Amino acid sequence: GENVEQHPSTLSVQEGDSAVIKCTYSDSASNYFPWYKQELGKGPQLIIDIRSNVGEKKDQRIAVTLNKTAKHFSLHITETQPEDSAVYFCAASKNTNAGKSTFGDGTTLTVKP
Amino acid sequence: DTGVSQDPRHKITKRGQNVTFRCDPISEHNRLYWYRQTLGQGPEFLTYFQNEAQLEKSRLLSDRFSAERPKGSFSTLEIQRTEQGDSAMYLCASRSLQGSEGYTFGSGTRLTVV
């Protein structure tokens, strides 16, 4: 089955700096890659996603890049703010699995004011 | 409809007892998923429904676990004869067949087995 590895497990940045979180996946058939943000006591919230026919997608301060050949994808957050502090999860899924996703183990991002 | 609702938020039970959790998805979402999340880990897939049909179950879902979605709306997840290893956050998510493939998660039910 699919295996998703996520790095780093913890990341601390100064407010205003950029943060990058990287994930690799094992199944070349995976074609949908969402990122979720999870705050304490809440369920994960979808923040951005990318399909395998696209190399990059941007939404304001958040961007995701995908390298299908190398089977890795990354989340980029620019101009970080304290409210970006949370646990971020990457995931991978295949259309044929009706959206069942395999998640990474998460990155705890801390943005210091 | 403000999102996916899960009840209860917290459950403490003694080992060997049965527990049942409920999930109310977004009304127009026909797919409903159950995931389990332990501390420091990402969510792990348990099972999913399309309308009332349970289409896939993970091998994580032992015989003590059962899930239902009788009318294609809310779903229940029951754990029988709970064990300490069942302690986790149980997350429900839903999504529509159209539009974004991303999930809308509920806030989860945190189960503690003592």
Side-chain angles (χ1 to χ4, degrees):
Chain A
E2 175 66 277
N3 182 50
V4 176
E5 294 191 354
Q6 183 171 347
H7 300 279
S9 56
T10 61
L11 179 59
S12 182
V13 300
Q14 286 295 134
E15 183 176 0
D17 288 350
S18 295
V20 180
I21 303 170
K22 299 181 179 181
C23 288
T24 59
Y25 60 99
S26 61
D27 190 340
S28 56
S30 290
N31 57 8
Y32 176 68
F33 307 94
W35 286 88
Y36 293 86
K37 175 184 181 182
Q38 187 172 26
E39 297 175 324
L40 202 61
K42 298 184 179 180
Q45 178 187 10
L46 179 70
I47 55 172
I48 195 167
D49 56 12
I50 191 167
R51 294 197 57 81
S52 58
N53 58 350
V54 175
E56 183 174 357
K57 184 176 178 180
K58 189 174 181 180
D59 182 4
Q60 298 183 347
R61 297 185 297 108
I62 295 174
V64 57
T65 58
L66 171 65
N67 183 327
K68 280 195 304 182
T69 303
K71 294 206 281 284
H72 66 69
F73 56 113
S74 300
L75 177 71
H76 305 253
I77 306 174
T78 58
E79 300 171 20
T80 53
Q81 301 167 4
E83 51 266 38
D84 293 330
S85 297
V87 181
Y88 291 81
F89 292 97
C90 62
S93 66
K94 297 182 280 193
N95 269 342
T96 53
N97 277 351
K100 180 184 78 174
S101 288
T102 301
F103 285 77
D105 283 338
T107 296
T108 301
L109 173 65
T110 303
V111 180
K112 299 177 182 175
Chain B
D1 195 318
T2 57
V4 177
S5 176
Q6 291 189 246
D7 182 69
R9 290 295 309 275
H10 304 274
K11 179 70 177 179
I12 300 174
T13 191
K14 291 184 178 179
R15 191 172 48 190
Q17 296 294 305
N18 300 343
V19 293
T20 300
F21 312 139
R22 176 179 170 126
C23 171
D24 286 89
I26 292 174
S27 57
E28 60 266 27
H29 285 184
N30 40 19
R31 285 198 175 150
L32 185 150
Y33 302 79
W34 285 99
Y35 279 78
R36 183 178 72 182
Q37 186 177 27
T38 53
L39 202 61
Q41 306 282 319
E44 296 174 291
F45 172 77
L46 292 178
T47 188
Y48 91 92
F49 294 83
Q50 179 164 313
N51 299 316
E52 66 274 10
Q54 186 175 17
L55 297 186
E56 188 173 349
K57 293 195 294 185
S58 162
R59 59 182 176 275
L60 291 175
L61 217 67
S62 75
D63 291 345
R64 297 184 297 106
F65 288 71
S66 62
E68 294 182 342
R69 195 183 182 195
K71 297 181 180 178
S73 55
F74 73 91
S75 176
T76 58
L77 177 68
E78 181 183 15
I79 309 175
Q80 295 182 329
R81 305 181 303 282
T82 52
E83 303 172 355
Q84 285 190 321
D86 297 331
S87 295
M89 175 77 84
Y90 290 84
L91 292 164
C92 176
S94 69
R95 62 175 282 248
S96 171
L97 282 174
Q98 289 78 35
S100 169
E101 292 179 57
Y103 297 144
T104 300
F105 278 96
S107 293
T109 293
R110 179 163 296 284
L111 173 66
T112 302
V113 182
V114 297

